[in-house]
Amino acid sequence: MRQGVRLAIDPGNARIGVAASDPSGVLASPVETVPRGRGDVQRIALLVLEREAREVVVGYPASLSGQEGPAARSAREFANTLARLLAPVPVRLVDERLTTVTAQGQLLSGASFGKKGAKGGRARRSVIDQAAATVLLQSALDQERSTGHPPGEIVRASQGDS
């Protein structure tokens, strides 16, 4: 098992869930939810620097058939942008099918989501985004530990350049 902090990114249309591993690469924990849009990749780059991450894992929402739909294309484009900005820190696309559903289910079966109403709804979605990133990262760490190989597909910094 490789040592070093990994950062997981769960890019959504409105928010980006972020999680990080401990330095030994064993346990994933939620970090924050970054609003999607202006400054989002810069915030992620800052988190990579602050946490001295050795790698970034981006959730890749392939369809259940394995085909690349609009959400998967968007995640790939986001990963390409990150790879160019973060080089030489590696960026990997890792299958995240059902991570949001898993995270939501775990949260619903646990403690209360808190407030009701609009503010409570936004807070719940923010927590779900972080939890989804945590589920994604823990799955990637567990897969690497069991196979001895880093999970997913490496994104080359030059991909997407014309």
Side-chain angles (χ1 to χ4, degrees):
M1 183 76 181
R2 300 173 300 153
Q3 296 291 306
V5 172
R6 270 62 144 224
L7 217 61
I9 309 299
D10 182 36
N13 292 328
R15 293 166 309 281
I16 302 165
V18 181
S21 74
D22 63 313
S24 62
V26 172
L27 184 64
S29 301
V31 173
E32 71 180 72
T33 300
V34 176
R36 187 75 186 252
R38 188 178 185 144
D40 55 3
V41 293
Q42 290 79 11
R43 177 63 188 145
I44 292 167
L46 183 60
L47 289 169
V48 169
L49 286 173
E50 287 174 355
R51 293 178 177 264
E52 299 177 353
R54 70 163 298 145
E55 184 172 78
V56 175
V57 172
V58 176
Y60 180 73
S63 67
L64 292 177
S65 69
Q67 298 298 308
E68 185 170 276
R73 280 191 294 280
S74 178
R76 185 177 295 281
E77 289 169 12
F78 192 77
N80 287 337
T81 300
L82 278 178
R84 287 190 297 274
L85 180 65
L86 299 177
V89 175
V91 174
R92 293 183 167 278
L93 280 171
V94 175
D95 187 355
E96 66 148 28
R97 284 180 274 191
L98 306 178
T99 56
T100 300
V101 173
T102 300
Q104 194 168 13
Q106 289 174 349
L107 289 170
L108 286 172
S109 68
S112 169
F113 269 116
K115 297 181 186 176
K116 295 192 183 304
K119 287 185 179 180
R122 280 192 294 276
R124 281 190 292 278
R125 288 187 296 274
S126 178
V127 168
I128 289 169
D129 294 329
Q130 290 177 41
T134 304
V135 169
L136 168 69
L137 183 55
Q138 191 63 57
S139 174
L141 295 170
D142 293 346
Q143 182 179 348
E144 181 173 337
R145 194 171 19 270
S146 69
T147 65
H149 301 288
E153 164 193 345
I154 194 83
V155 178
R156 303 285 174 214
S158 61
Q159 284 181 345
D161 290 339
S162 300

